Amino acid sequence: MKEPFSLEPGRIVQSLQGRDRGGYFVILENRGDGFVLLSDGQTHKLSRPKLKKIKHVRAKPVLLNLSTLRPEGGGLQDSDLRKALVSEGFAEKRSLCRDSGACSVPCTVSEKEV
């Protein structure tokens, strides 16, 4: 399946596979070999980003400008990523089911329940 949005740095993506399934991340780097480096500023920090296959993420229509996330200057920090994800409405981990009535689990899962 072809991604409708490019997987460039700053793109918000949702994890489709693994322990972090349903979580939202920001692409830090597209390595070009079928992998991207992801960070959410919480579980996968900037100092140790998550390496994930492109086929295991779903791109969202939001592209962040990483250079403007820190308006006062300096390097990008984990708190900047967390604030950006919250401000764009991607603060919660979500279920991957498409129809809310099709499964027995709730479609929105809070961080406390995970």
Side-chain angles (χ1 to χ4, degrees):
M1 184 169 130
K2 185 157 173 66
E3 284 292 327
F5 304 107
S6 64
L7 295 173
E8 58 188 297
R11 175 76 59 195
I12 294 179
V13 295
Q14 184 177 23
S15 172
L16 300 177
Q17 298 291 323
R19 289 184 305 163
D20 53 13
R21 180 181 181 174
Y24 294 104
F25 299 90
V26 177
I27 295 179
L28 300 178
E29 179 185 348
N30 188 340
R31 294 184 15 159
D33 58 353
F35 289 90
V36 289
L37 288 174
L38 307 173
S39 179
D40 63 357
Q42 193 168 12
T43 56
H44 298 288
K45 300 190 180 232
L46 289 167
S47 60
R48 194 165 169 92
K50 172 76 175 168
L51 180 67
K52 201 153 186 81
K53 287 185 177 182
I54 290 174
K55 68 180 183 177
H56 292 161
V57 297
R58 179 183 299 145
K60 297 298 177 183
V62 178
L63 180 64
L64 302 173
N65 187 348
L66 295 178
S67 61
T68 60
L69 286 180
R70 190 110 182 126
E72 60 273 359
L76 186 65
Q77 295 183 354
D78 293 317
S79 60
D80 301 326
L81 285 180
R82 288 191 302 265
K83 289 175 189 174
L85 287 169
V86 168
S87 69
E88 293 294 336
F90 296 103
E92 293 181 338
K93 195 178 241 192
R94 299 198 183 197
S95 172
L96 297 174
C97 64
R98 298 190 189 278
D99 183 21
S100 61
C103 58
S104 61
V105 295
C107 287
T108 302
V109 180
S110 69
E111 291 294 323
K112 292 179 183 175
E113 294 173 346
V114 173

